[in-house]
Every structure is written in C-alpha cells, then in structure tokens.
C-alpha cells in the first residue's frame, strides 16, 4: 500500500534538517512529524547508564501530560516505564509502540494507576535510538485527552515508514551527548535490596527483589515466571514471602515502599 504525505511535509523536513545542531531541532522535528500523522504531544528523553534521565524537549496542549514529569517520573519511577526497558536492553533503533512493549498487566499496576493514567495519555509510541556512548534518545509521541483517540493503523504505518529518516536525524542531532557519570556499580535489584535493608530493616533475597521489580513493572505471575525461568506457582511463593517480609498486603503498598528507593 502506497502512503502519500502532504506536500508541506517536505518543507518541514527540510527545516528540521537545517536545524540540526541547534536548539531549534526538536521543535522542528516535532512539527515535521505532526504534519505527517496525528500526534497530540511530544517528549524527548535522554537515558544514560546512571543518573536521572534528561528531558531535552517537551510540548503538549494538555497540562497534565507533563505536569508530573520532573517531580515523579525523573525522580525514579522512569525505571518502571516500558520504554526505559528499551534503553536497558540497548534495543535496535526504530519505532516502538507502548502497547507492544508493555508487560501483560501494565494497565493494572501502580505505576500506571498513580502516574501514567494521570498524564491522560491514551496511546504512545517512540523513536528509540541507542548511541555508542551508552546513551539512548527517545522521541516519545503521544495521543492524549485532547483527541481522546489511539493511533490509527494509518498513523502507525506512516510513523514506521518515516522511522529510518527520523532515527537518523535523532542520532545526528545528539551524536555528541555523553553519559554524565560512570556506570552504575550495581544492578537495580541489588540497589533495592541494599536500600531496604539499610533504611527499613527489610531483608530480601535477590530473587525476591527481582520478583518485586517485575511486579512493579506490570508483569503477571506467568510473565514473571517466563522472565525468571520459574513456574507461576513458584512466583506466587516468592510474592507471598515478599509481602510477608515487607509487612504489606497489596501491590499499592509495595509501590509506596519501593518507589522512594528507585532514585540513584
């Protein structure tokens, strides 16, 4: 199927190319993409090997979309975001839709309920680019309450068709961005284990911490079992042990307990 884009998008693309290496580039890129298919908002994020991510650009007509970006997302819970996992895994450059990246119980977890749902986002996709310096750039494109719609099949076909161009421009714009500090000395699960022990007197095993993190990211017992190579029944045993040791009885309490230790 041939997709025809409006003639005006060629001029927008030319302006984006001309703006490479300047602070105007993100807005020019967003303008070009927005004229190619329907987008309500845009967020450009740089993830590094350690430290908080950097927000390089954000624009939306709905205040709630970015209202808690600096306070909550950047402070630590970005590590529960499905798109962040693309950075952790150094995923190939390209277009990714949240629907395809999110765990099976994403819409039931506390990250979704307490953060994502509050942004009013109804759908999201991103151009993900992994750079050599251990940095990933993500241009996240969303639909929100202003339109109240998901991306259409046509939107996604166009976005995919533009993927090579968009990712090449993104890589060129931020090719010199550097990770600000050295790599993390320990995995996130080890960090959580240490922090819970030191600050709450809670002693968890490494496997219990792994289960906790996967629960917080929105994985079901079946999905956790597949990730860890254990049976769903064994996952349920670890979950019971985890809740008992933390003196909690719900995922909401687990989120409340763990979220403050997600920051590095």
């Amino acid at each position: 199927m041939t997709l025809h884009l409006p003639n005006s998008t060629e001029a927008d693309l030319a302006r984006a190319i001309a703006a490479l290496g300047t602070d105007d580039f993100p807005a020019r890129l967003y303008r070009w993409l927005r004229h190619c298919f329907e987008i309500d908002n845009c967020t450009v994020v740089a993830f590094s090997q350690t430290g908080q991510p950097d927000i390089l650009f954000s624009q939306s007509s709905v205040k709630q979309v970015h209202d808690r970006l600096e306070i909550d997302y950047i402070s630590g819970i970005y590590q529960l975001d499905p798109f962040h996992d693309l950075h952790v895994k150094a995923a190939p450059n390209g277009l990714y839709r949240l629907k395809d990246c999110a765990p099976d119980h994403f819409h039931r977890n506390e990250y979704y309920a307490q953060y994502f749902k509050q942004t009013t986002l109804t759908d999201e996709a991103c151009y993900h680019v992994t750079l050599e310096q251990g940095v990933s750039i993500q241009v996240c494109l969303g639909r929100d309450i202003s339109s109240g719609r998901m991306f259409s099949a046509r939107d996604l076909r166009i976005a995919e068709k533009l993927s090579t161009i968009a990712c090449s421009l993104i890589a060129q714009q931020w090719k010199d961005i550097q990770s600000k500090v050295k790599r993390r000395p320990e995995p996130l699960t080890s960090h959580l284990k240490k922090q819970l022990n030191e600050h709450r007197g809670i002693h968890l095993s490494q496997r219990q911490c792994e289960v906790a993190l996967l629960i917080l990211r929105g994985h079901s017992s079946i999905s956790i079992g597949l990730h860890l190579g254990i049976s769903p029944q064994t996952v349920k045993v670890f979950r019971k042990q985890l809740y008992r040791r933390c003196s909690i009885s719900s995922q909401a309490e687990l989120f409340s307990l763990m979220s403050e230790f997600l920051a590095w």
Side-chain angles (χ1 to χ4, degrees):
M1 178 179 178
T2 302
L3 294 174
H4 299 285
L5 302 176
N7 291 334
S8 61
T9 64
E10 295 179 2
D12 288 328
L13 175 58
R15 294 187 186 100
I17 293 172
L20 280 168
T22 74
D23 293 338
D24 292 334
F25 174 77
R28 295 290 188 184
L29 178 69
Y30 179 42
R31 180 181 177 85
W32 169 55
L33 293 172
R34 197 175 186 187
H35 281 179
C36 293
F37 58 100
E38 292 188 62
I39 309 168
D40 296 333
N41 57 74
C42 178
T43 313
V44 182
V45 186
F47 293 113
S48 62
Q49 297 303 320
T50 187
Q52 297 176 334
D54 291 322
I55 304 301
L56 305 177
F57 174 80
S58 63
Q59 186 170 323
S60 66
S61 58
V62 177
K63 181 176 180 290
Q64 296 98 305
V65 171
H66 296 119
D67 198 33
R68 297 170 57 189
L69 189 65
E70 299 287 345
I71 299 173
D72 294 330
Y73 184 84
I74 296 301
S75 66
I77 62 172
Y78 66 89
Q79 296 186 92
L80 304 180
D81 191 300
F83 283 156
H84 178 257
D85 202 38
L86 299 174
H87 163 71
V88 174
K89 295 177 178 177
N93 296 355
L95 178 74
Y96 294 84
R97 190 181 184 185
L98 182 66
K99 179 181 177 181
D100 299 323
C101 298
D104 54 349
H105 281 188
F106 177 69
H107 289 86
R108 303 183 194 179
N109 76 346
E110 288 302 309
Y111 169 78
Y112 176 84
Q114 298 197 33
Y115 177 77
F116 191 87
K117 188 176 181 180
Q118 310 307 315
T119 66
T120 80
L121 286 168
T122 56
D123 202 358
E124 193 173 20
C126 84
Y127 288 115
H128 169 85
V129 176
T130 298
L131 302 178
E132 292 181 1
Q133 303 90 337
V135 175
S136 294
I137 306 295
Q138 292 184 356
V139 175
C140 302
L141 308 168
R143 305 299 299 276
D144 56 49
I145 197 173
S146 64
S147 67
R149 298 193 303 273
M150 307 279 283
F151 285 117
S152 68
R154 181 179 183 276
D155 288 334
L156 295 171
R157 286 196 298 270
I158 293 174
E160 183 63 47
K161 181 179 180 181
L162 301 177
S163 179
T164 301
I165 298 173
C167 289
S168 295
L169 291 174
I170 292 164
Q172 179 66 25
Q173 172 69 13
W174 287 289
K175 63 181 179 180
D176 296 325
I177 195 169
Q178 297 289 331
S179 183
K180 292 181 292 186
V181 291
K182 295 180 180 179
R183 290 175 178 267
R184 289 176 176 142
E186 57 187 356
L188 178 56
T189 50
S190 299
H191 170 77
L192 288 173
K193 183 175 182 289
K194 180 180 178 181
Q195 293 298 309
L196 288 167
N197 187 14
E198 290 183 357
H199 298 281
R200 292 290 184 270
I202 297 173
H203 306 281
L204 297 180
S205 68
Q206 191 72 14
R207 181 48 59 91
Q208 287 166 346
C209 282
E210 290 171 348
V211 170
L213 194 55
L214 288 169
I215 291 172
L216 292 175
R217 286 174 173 161
H219 291 270
S220 67
S221 293
I222 293 175
S223 179
I224 293 172
L226 290 173
H227 273 75
L228 301 181
I230 57 180
S231 71
Q233 290 73 24
T234 302
V235 172
K236 291 177 182 178
V237 171
F238 278 117
R239 186 192 292 260
K240 288 181 181 178
Q241 293 173 346
L242 170 66
Y243 280 24
R244 184 166 61 249
R245 290 197 182 186
C246 294
S247 300
I248 59 175
S249 59
S250 68
Q251 187 185 139
E253 290 178 294
L254 180 66
F255 179 85
S256 179
L257 173 66
M258 298 281 192
S259 57
E260 66 176 293
F261 300 122
L262 291 173
W264 290 65

